[in-house]
C-alpha cells in the first residue's frame, strides 16, 4: 500500500520545489534543495521524466509541511478577497492570477497525495503523516465517504 519514494516526475518535483523556494525566499532562509532543482533543469522537454529523490524525499516532505499547513488553512474566498483588495494583483494579468490559483491547488493536492501514499523513514514525518491521515478520515466520515476511510485506516497500520 504505502511505497517508499525514490523518484518523482519532473513536473511534480518542480511544483514542490518552486513553492518551497518561494517560501524560503520570503522567510530569508537557506534553500537546501538546489541539487534537486538542478536535476529538474535538464534540457529534456519531457515533464514526466523521473528524477531520483531517494536521498531527499523525507527531508523535503518535512520541510514542505509547514507551508502545506499554512496554505491548507486559507480558503478560496480569503484568497479572492486578498486579490481584490491588493493593488499589486490589480496590475497583474488575470491569467497569471488564475495560473497561481491552479498552482496553489495543485501543490495542496500533490502534497496530500504523496503523504497518503508514501512510506517514510523519519519518525517526525511519519507522525505528521499519521495525523494528516486521521484528519482525512474525520473529513471522510463527515462527508460519508466510508470506502476512503477504510483505505486510510489500512494505510495507517503501515505508518
Amino acid at each position: 500500500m504505502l511505497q517508499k519514494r525514490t523518484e518523482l516526475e519532473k513536473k511534480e518535483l518542480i511544483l514542490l520545489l518552486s513553492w518551497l523556494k518561494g517560501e524560503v525566499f520570503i522567510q530569508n532562509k537557506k534553500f537546501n534543495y538546489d541539487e534537486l532543482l538542478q536535476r529538474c533543469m535538464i534540457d529534456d522537454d519531457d515533464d514526466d521524466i523521473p528524477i531520483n529523490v531517494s536521498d531527499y524525499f523525507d527531508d523535503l516532505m518535512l520541510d514542505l509541511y509547514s507551508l502545506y499547513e499554512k496554505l491548507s488553512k486559507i480558503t478560496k474566498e480569503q484568497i479572492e478577497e486578498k486579490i481584490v483588495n491588493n493593488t499589486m494583483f490589480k496590475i497583474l494579468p488575470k491569467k497569471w492570477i488564475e495560473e497561481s490559483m491552479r498552482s496553489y491547488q495543485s501543490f495542496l493536492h500533490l502534497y496530500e497525495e504523496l503523504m497518503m501514499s508514501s512510506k517514510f523513514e523519519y519518525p517526525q514525518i511519519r507522525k505528521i503523516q499519521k495525523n494528516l491521515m486521521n484528519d482525512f478520515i474525520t473529513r471522510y466520515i463527515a462527508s460519508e465517504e466510508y470506502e476512503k476511510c477504510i483505505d486510510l485506516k489500512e494505510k495507517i497500520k503501515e505508518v
Side-chain angles (χ1 to χ4, degrees), residues 64-80:
L64 284 167
Y65 178 69
S66 61
L67 177 60
Y68 167 79
E69 187 177 41
K70 180 169 60 171
L71 291 177
S72 66
K73 291 179 182 175
I74 300 172
T75 65
K76 185 176 180 182
E77 291 77 24
Q78 290 171 319
I79 293 173
E80 289 173 355

Side-chain angles (χ1 to χ4, degrees), residues 5 12 108-118:
R5 297 286 174 151
E12 294 174 334
L108 293 177
H109 177 73
L110 177 59
Y111 188 82
E112 290 167 355
E113 179 186 319
L114 291 171
M115 287 298 283
M116 300 303 155
S117 64
S118 301

Side-chain angles (χ1 to χ4, degrees), residues 71-132:
L71 291 177
S72 66
K73 291 179 182 175
I74 300 172
T75 65
K76 185 176 180 182
E77 291 77 24
Q78 290 171 319
I79 293 173
E80 289 173 355
E81 181 181 325
K82 285 184 189 246
I83 290 172
V84 169
N85 294 331
N86 190 317
T87 55
M88 178 64 181
F89 287 116
K90 291 179 182 177
I91 63 172
L92 292 175
K94 185 173 176 151
K95 68 178 182 178
W96 285 9
I97 296 168
E98 291 169 356
E99 185 60 36
S100 296
M101 288 297 290
R102 275 193 295 277
S103 176
Y104 161 78
Q105 292 294 333
S106 295
F107 168 76
L108 293 177
H109 177 73
L110 177 59
Y111 188 82
E112 290 167 355
E113 179 186 319
L114 291 171
M115 287 298 283
M116 300 303 155
S117 64
S118 301
K119 189 165 190 75
F120 298 101
E121 291 182 29
Y122 295 174
Q124 304 97 313
I125 193 69
R126 286 198 320 255
K127 182 177 181 184
I128 291 169
Q129 181 184 33
K130 194 171 192 175
N131 289 338
L132 194 59

Side-chain angles (χ1 to χ4, degrees), residues 27-69:
Q27 294 179 353
N28 200 25
K29 293 183 177 178
K30 184 178 188 278
F31 183 69
N32 298 319
Y33 304 98
D34 286 323
E35 184 181 330
L36 273 181
L37 203 50
Q38 289 298 321
R39 290 183 199 171
C40 292
M41 298 306 153
I42 299 169
D43 289 334
D44 192 342
D45 288 335
D46 185 9
D47 284 343
D48 295 330
I49 188 169
I51 306 287
N52 186 325
V53 295
S54 58
D55 295 336
Y56 297 94
F57 190 66
D58 282 24
D59 289 321
L60 178 62
M61 294 300 284
L62 193 55
D63 289 347
L64 284 167
Y65 178 69
S66 61
L67 177 60
Y68 167 79
E69 187 177 41

